[in-house]
Amino acid sequence: MMRYLLGPEIFWLFLYIGAIALGKANTPPSKEIDNIIEYLWFWIPAISLLVFALWWIPSVEKNWLLLRVWIFGILGGHFVLEKALTAYSNQGPGIGMGYLAGMLLLLVFLVIGSVLIKIIF
């Protein structure tokens, strides 16, 4: 049972819950939380590299794990970035570009992580 609980799905669920909490913390808007939200386009993809640590946990089911990492990386990245960046108090083209930059960086990190995992394992 534990083999199926640990996976990229639960990782992205925790990040999504964190994005919801960040949005609630920014009501009413505060400059400190807006500063955090403004740079999430980089930090969410950077934190997503932690999902590749699943290959070092022996109890994790490795069959189809790379496909699951990709599917939930793209879906989770979209939902987490969208939820977190909409909490920014001053919506405009800058925060929209943050979403695009975050998704592109996430794709780059998924490619790099996948190549390294295939080389190592």
Side-chain angles (χ1 to χ4, degrees):
M1 178 69 175
M2 187 61 170
R3 330 183 74 165
Y4 297 109
L5 290 179
L6 290 175
E9 302 87 359
I10 196 84
F11 175 81
W12 284 105
L13 179 64
F14 285 145
L15 282 180
Y16 188 74
I17 291 169
I20 291 171
L22 189 64
K24 288 184 180 186
N26 203 27
T27 305
S30 73
K31 187 67 175 158
E32 294 82 21
I33 296 179
D34 270 350
N35 287 337
I36 293 170
I37 293 171
E38 190 173 2
Y39 295 103
L40 283 179
W41 68 267
F42 174 76
W43 288 112
I44 289 175
I47 291 170
S48 73
L49 287 173
L50 292 175
V51 80
F52 290 103
L54 290 170
W55 271 268
W56 281 275
I57 300 174
S59 64
V60 173
E61 179 64 41
K62 306 297 189 289
N63 293 334
W64 300 95
L65 183 59
L66 191 58
L67 179 64
R68 289 171 47 213
V69 164
W70 269 86
I71 290 171
F72 286 97
I74 292 170
L75 289 175
H78 162 71
F79 286 118
V80 170
L81 280 169
E82 185 266 334
K83 185 58 113 177
L85 296 180
T86 56
Y88 192 69
S89 63
N90 190 11
Q91 293 291 318
I95 206 69
M97 188 59 204
Y99 169 80
L100 292 173
M103 287 302 292
L104 287 173
L105 192 59
L106 179 65
L107 288 173
V108 169
F109 285 168
L110 283 172
V111 169
I112 291 170
S114 299
V115 168
L116 289 176
I117 287 299
K118 282 301 185 181
I119 289 171
I120 294 171
F121 291 95

